[in-house]
Amino acid sequence: MKTLLKGGRLLDPSQNLDGIGDLLIEEDQIVELNGEPRLEPGDTVVDCTGLWVCPGLIDLHVHLREPGFEHKETISTGTQAAAAGGFTTICCMPNTNPPLDNRAMIEYVVSRAASSDGGGIFVAPIGAVAQGMTSNQLAEIAAMKEAGIVAVTDDAHPIQDAEMMHQAMQYCRMLDLPIATHCEELSLTRGGAMNEGAMSAVLGLKGMPRTSEDIQVARNCILSISTGCRRMRWPGRRPRPGVRAMPRRPPGGRNARPAILIGAR
């Protein structure tokens, strides 16, 4: 049985494709683009005029909330909502209760996502860096990778201890896992109610300075360069100065490390 998506805007950046056209699907596979297909009785034609036809979207930062916070969201409702919005792959955060910090919890999420009441999409769990998310002990990262995680993170509980972050990055480098960091120096934001600035002073509220994020971004970038670990940074509360790695090669220095520069974009 064939399905013809007719007259939609075909979008695929990997193929440099952006234009109005037709797409023929047969047995869940794309078999023809902008051709003249032979349709038979029983085949389906979908009028996609005014619609976009594109590869499935991917969301790297999703909170499925299960287990522990099912009153907010469940794996079933979250995956169904993702599918309805065109997302075919989502990465779920580990700040559940109990957190996703061991093999059993990862297997639970993967199993629930693949069940009949799921949304029919691929769920790629992201594991916790620390046991319980708040301890000073690394979680079972290797075991979680075997169970299906695609990265680890300290989301919502930024790691303050540089030695622990260094160890986590070394471990992730060996396992070829990226680490996604929540960059926040808690000694500068603890008790804060809003961004630090003129308005926080006028209102008499403790502000959280942007430097609380800059400090952690710089630290984690340096540790990433030192260990060779791939890292991502979750978006902060507001735009920050740019942080970029610039090659610094003194005369005769073939193996010089990149320098971290922090400044306006």
Side-chain angles (χ1 to χ4, degrees):
M1 185 173 179
K2 302 175 183 177
T3 300
L4 179 64
L5 305 181
K6 188 173 182 61
R9 180 180 178 184
L10 306 181
L11 293 167
D12 188 347
S14 70
Q15 303 298 318
N16 196 28
L17 179 63
D18 183 357
I20 304 300
D22 303 336
L23 195 69
L24 182 64
I25 301 172
E26 185 174 2
E27 296 182 357
D28 297 327
Q29 298 293 320
I30 297 174
V31 296
E32 190 173 323
L33 178 67
N34 290 331
E36 297 181 358
R38 291 184 178 180
L39 299 180
E40 301 176 357
D43 290 341
T44 303
V45 177
V46 180
D47 183 6
C48 295
T49 304
L51 302 178
W52 291 5
V53 181
C54 61
L57 303 176
I58 300 172
D59 193 335
L60 296 177
H61 194 150
V62 171
H63 292 275
L64 293 179
R65 304 299 183 184
E66 183 182 344
F69 304 103
E70 287 84 353
H71 60 288
K72 296 181 178 180
E73 186 76 272
T74 67
I75 294 174
S76 176
T77 61
T79 54
Q80 290 179 33
F87 289 84
T88 56
T89 298
I90 60 175
C91 299
C92 61
M93 296 297 103
N95 55 335
T96 52
N97 186 24
L100 308 185
D101 63 356
N102 60 72
R103 179 196 293 269
M105 292 304 303
I106 300 302
E107 290 176 342
Y108 169 79
V109 170
V110 171
S111 175
R112 287 281 292 116
S115 65
S116 58
D117 63 345
I121 67 169
F122 179 61
V123 174
I126 293 181
V129 173
Q131 295 180 18
M133 294 208 72
T134 58
S135 73
N136 291 322
Q137 299 294 322
L138 292 180
E140 301 173 9
I141 299 177
M144 289 193 293
K145 182 179 180 181
E146 292 178 354
I149 66 168
V150 295
V152 294
T153 184
D154 60 351
D155 183 51
H157 301 281
I159 293 176
Q160 301 298 291
D161 187 82
E163 181 182 6
M164 182 176 178
M165 180 60 78
H166 186 240
Q167 291 176 348
M169 287 190 179
Q170 287 178 317
Y171 205 15
C172 287
R173 175 66 180 85
M174 290 188 294
L175 296 171
D176 193 27
L177 281 174
I179 183 168
T181 55
H182 176 138
C183 295
E184 182 179 352
E185 176 55 55
L186 295 180
S187 64
L188 294 174
T189 63
R190 191 172 292 111
M194 62 185 298
N195 289 326
E196 183 181 73
M199 186 55 66
S200 64
V202 169
L203 296 176
L205 297 174
K206 177 176 171 52
M208 295 177 285
R210 64 191 305 163
T211 50
S212 67
E213 185 171 357
D214 297 338
I215 289 170
Q216 290 283 357
V217 168
R219 183 201 73 176
N220 291 340
C221 283
I222 292 169
L223 291 176
S224 176
I225 292 170
S226 172
T227 60
C229 176
R230 293 175 292 147
R231 64 169 292 274
M232 302 180 291
R233 179 180 69 89
W234 299 130
R237 292 185 176 87
R238 61 175 178 170
R240 307 285 173 170
V243 178
R244 65 187 188 275
M246 297 292 291
R248 180 183 59 198
R249 295 183 182 277
R254 293 185 178 180
N255 298 318
R257 295 174 181 167
I260 299 295
L261 303 181
I262 302 179
R265 296 185 186 278

